Amino acid sequence: MRLLVTGAAGKVGQVFIPAFLADPRFADWEIVALCHNRPVEQGERVAIVSGSLSDAATVAEAMAGVTHVLHLAAVKESPGLIFDVALKGLYLLLEAYRGSAASRQFILLSGDCVVGHIFQPYDAPITEASARKAYPGCYALTKVLEETMVEQFGVQYGVDWTTLRAPWIMEKDDFRFALDFGDGQFGGPPWTEIVDEAALARYRNGRYVPVLRDAGGNYLKRNFVHVDDLVSAILASIANPRAYGQLFNIAMDRPVDYGAVGRLLKAGADLEPIEIDTPFHSNWLDNSKARMVLGWAPEVGLEQLAERAFHYEREENDPRVVWYPG
């Protein structure tokens, strides 16, 4: 078997490839890594194809002999790139895939931007059957179109597809910097959009942790997943007939409650909770389907997420990389 991984050098790809190569279930599989801006290390079972997804010749080269595709490549709020990568690139991949006699499964990594994460309200847990309600911006729009394109290739041509929909993906010290009031803040929206200048200056000079409240005045509940748990879900999906033609929410069992974050970090890191009102909505991305159908379960909850992030120490050769603007 031969697995094509797009976006192989990105945040998820860098964790996925070593995990895949170490998994005895895939001991006789090979990987083709399609890389554009960043390379990955070539090895005995890893071949590299360099180029753009928008180039048909590059896609054809990468797809040669491929049985399974894991499409991780994405761009965020980059209007000049979205059509080439998210639409043309995916279309070229799907066309090459459906035209190949070797093809077995096409896996798409999507995101909870498709359902608006904290920007759109839902009055019940968000399941795979919930309406798609993207938040404003080109990235969320492209993910809606990607999910739809993959599904329709299944309808039109019988493609065996699987879509994994993940919320905010955490690794290393990401969660710590998601709560940072300084210039190192990871993700968004920027504090300058929801905190006045004088208060923000005071928070930056002290040991504080933001405790967000939602539009209803309750503590905000936002969905996260650790990259290790996402990778384990991908591994559980590959070559799994129960995953064919299915969309799965891949998230922590419970959304992160910012009230609980404040209490946890006050006790464990001596940080003072600062309550901040926001216009955002609390939502719950329900992972029940993935637990039942894939036999998958996340291992990282809030306490483990905080423990890992606040105790992570970087070496000199491990610079903090923001793979995309949150």
Side-chain angles (χ1 to χ4, degrees):
M1 296 294 178
R2 191 170 175 87
L3 172 68
L4 171 64
V5 182
T6 71
K11 184 176 192 174
V12 178
Q14 287 202 349
V15 178
F16 168 78
I17 290 178
F20 178 87
L21 294 173
D23 192 322
R25 292 174 297 161
F26 307 111
D28 58 349
W29 288 49
E30 298 177 341
I31 286 178
V32 180
L34 178 54
C35 303
H36 188 209
N37 295 321
R38 297 183 298 267
V40 297
E41 185 176 345
Q42 191 161 347
E44 182 180 349
R45 294 165 57 200
V46 180
I48 308 297
V49 173
S50 299
S52 172
L53 272 172
S54 64
D55 179 65
T58 299
V59 171
E61 178 186 357
M63 283 293 299
V66 163
T67 57
H68 296 70
V69 175
L70 174 59
H71 185 41
L72 302 176
V75 292
K76 285 285 184 170
E77 298 299 333
S78 304
L81 297 175
I82 59 167
F83 287 101
D84 278 352
V85 175
L87 302 181
K88 182 180 178 181
L90 177 56
Y91 178 77
L92 290 174
L93 277 174
L94 286 166
E95 279 288 285
Y97 173 87
R98 79 175 181 90
S100 170
S103 61
R104 298 290 183 273
Q105 183 186 20
F106 193 104
I107 301 174
L108 170 70
L109 177 61
S110 186
D112 73 340
C113 57
V114 168
V115 289
H117 68 84
I118 58 174
F119 291 90
Q120 301 285 8
Y122 290 80
D123 56 8
I126 300 172
T127 71
E128 292 78 2
S130 298
R132 294 183 175 100
K133 297 193 294 186
Y135 63 76
C138 60
Y139 173 64
L141 174 61
T142 60
K143 284 301 178 185
V144 170
L145 297 176
E146 284 182 358
E147 286 193 8
T148 303
M149 194 187 307
V150 168
E151 290 173 5
Q152 289 305 307
F153 264 73
V155 172
Q156 292 177 283
Y157 308 112
V159 166
D160 284 324
W161 59 271
T162 302
T163 296
L164 305 179
R165 183 187 285 167
W168 201 358
I169 303 167
M170 296 282 110
E171 68 161 359
K172 299 178 179 178
D173 51 10
D174 281 349
F175 188 61
R176 174 185 170 190
F177 281 91
L179 302 170
D180 189 84
F181 280 114
D183 294 333
Q185 180 192 4
F186 170 59
W191 298 123
T192 52
E193 295 184 5
I194 54 176
V195 180
D196 69 73
E197 186 176 342
L200 184 57
R202 180 166 59 87
Y203 300 158
R204 285 175 170 169
N205 289 323
R207 291 182 53 78
Y208 299 106
V209 57
V211 174
L212 306 184
R213 288 192 177 272
D214 63 21
N218 301 305
Y219 289 124
L220 183 70
K221 295 177 177 61
R222 182 174 184 173
N223 298 284
F224 293 79
V225 69
H226 194 277
V227 68
D228 291 345
D229 285 330
L230 175 56
V231 165
S232 71
I234 296 172
L235 294 173
S237 301
I238 297 174
N240 182 349
R242 289 172 60 82
Y244 296 172
Q246 299 295 326
L247 164 67
F248 298 99
N249 291 333
I250 305 298
M252 291 167 54
D253 285 334
R254 301 174 64 89
V256 166
D257 182 317
Y258 276 79
V261 171
R263 293 189 295 272
L264 181 66
L265 294 179
K266 182 178 177 63
D270 195 29
L271 297 178
E272 187 63 30
I274 294 293
E275 298 199 354
I276 298 173
D277 293 327
T278 78
F280 305 135
H281 301 280
S282 292
N283 284 318
W284 187 313
L285 198 64
D286 189 337
N287 68 11
S288 299
K289 181 179 176 181
R291 295 179 68 95
M292 183 182 77
V293 176
L294 298 179
W296 167 86
E299 295 185 359
V300 179
L302 173 58
E303 291 187 3
Q304 296 91 338
L305 189 64
E307 175 75 16
R308 294 188 185 194
F310 279 82
H311 288 87
Y312 186 81
E313 295 185 8
R314 290 186 175 272
E315 304 291 340
E316 289 186 5
N317 62 349
D318 182 26
R320 177 158 179 76
V321 176
V322 177
W323 297 101
Y324 47 79

